[in-house]
Amino acid sequence: SGVAQWREGITPDAMVNFDVGFATPTDRTLFLAGAGLGYSLMKATQETPIDLILTGGLYGAFGTGSYVRIPVGVVAGHRFPLGGGLVLTPYVSPRLSVDVCASDCGSAGTDLKLNFDIGASLDVTHTVAIRSALTVGGIGVYPSRTSFGIGLVYRPNMAPRR
């Protein structure tokens, strides 16, 4: 799989993202496209050392077995500066999604699903990070799927984070 994402801050507390990519589950290839919003509900302080972001979006996977997903959830995490400029950010992300079959889904139809990610990002530099996540996806009427992924993140011209 491969996904490219563009994130843009639209206010100090809100961002929009656009995703495009591909995935090859089993013997088929899917084209991925979507857009999402994020809004900061809480920023880490000395008293409450956690960041909390409300997220939502509209995402699709197109090909044999196409579907559209509308997720709404939260992301909770905390940044831990490590020695040598490294930063570790573990996070959890529960969300509820409406998954709609768009074509060739067999017996699957529209479903309300509970999805959950547990992951971490290791910032190696200001522009390069390594991310991993375990996703327990789709607890609902139709079969649940669990997956694990590791990714390389490149953020060109990124300003230092606060």
Side-chain angles (χ1 to χ4, degrees), residues 28 30-31 60-68 100-105:
R28 59 194 172 113
L30 299 171
F31 171 71
F62 306 100
T64 303
S66 299
Y67 65 90
V68 174
V100 179
C101 172
S103 71
D104 302 323
C105 299

Side-chain angles (χ1 to χ4, degrees), residues 22-162:
F22 69 93
T24 55
T26 62
D27 60 347
R28 59 194 172 113
T29 299
L30 299 171
F31 171 71
L32 310 173
L37 295 170
Y39 181 78
S40 178
L41 296 173
M42 183 169 64
K43 294 191 182 200
T45 65
Q46 289 286 30
E47 296 79 32
T48 311
I50 193 164
D51 291 305
L52 195 62
I53 300 171
L54 177 66
T55 62
L58 177 64
Y59 300 91
F62 306 100
T64 303
S66 299
Y67 65 90
V68 174
R69 177 173 287 152
I70 304 167
V72 175
V74 294
V75 179
H78 182 75
R79 292 175 47 83
F80 294 97
L82 306 173
L86 298 175
V87 177
L88 179 65
T89 307
Y91 65 89
V92 295
S93 177
R95 64 194 170 283
L96 202 56
S97 70
V98 175
D99 296 358
V100 179
C101 172
S103 71
D104 302 323
C105 299
S107 63
T110 301
D111 194 10
L112 181 64
K113 293 192 178 251
L114 175 63
N115 304 283
F116 195 86
D117 295 338
I118 301 170
S121 178
L122 178 64
D123 290 5
V124 179
T125 69
H126 286 294
T127 58
V128 176
I130 300 167
R131 291 201 181 136
S132 64
L134 172 68
T135 300
V136 178
I139 300 170
V141 175
Y142 297 102
S144 182
R145 295 195 174 113
T146 300
S147 60
F148 179 76
I150 297 175
L152 179 64
V153 177
Y154 174 65
R155 300 176 294 246
N157 302 322
M158 183 174 148
R161 290 186 185 181
R162 292 171 241 117

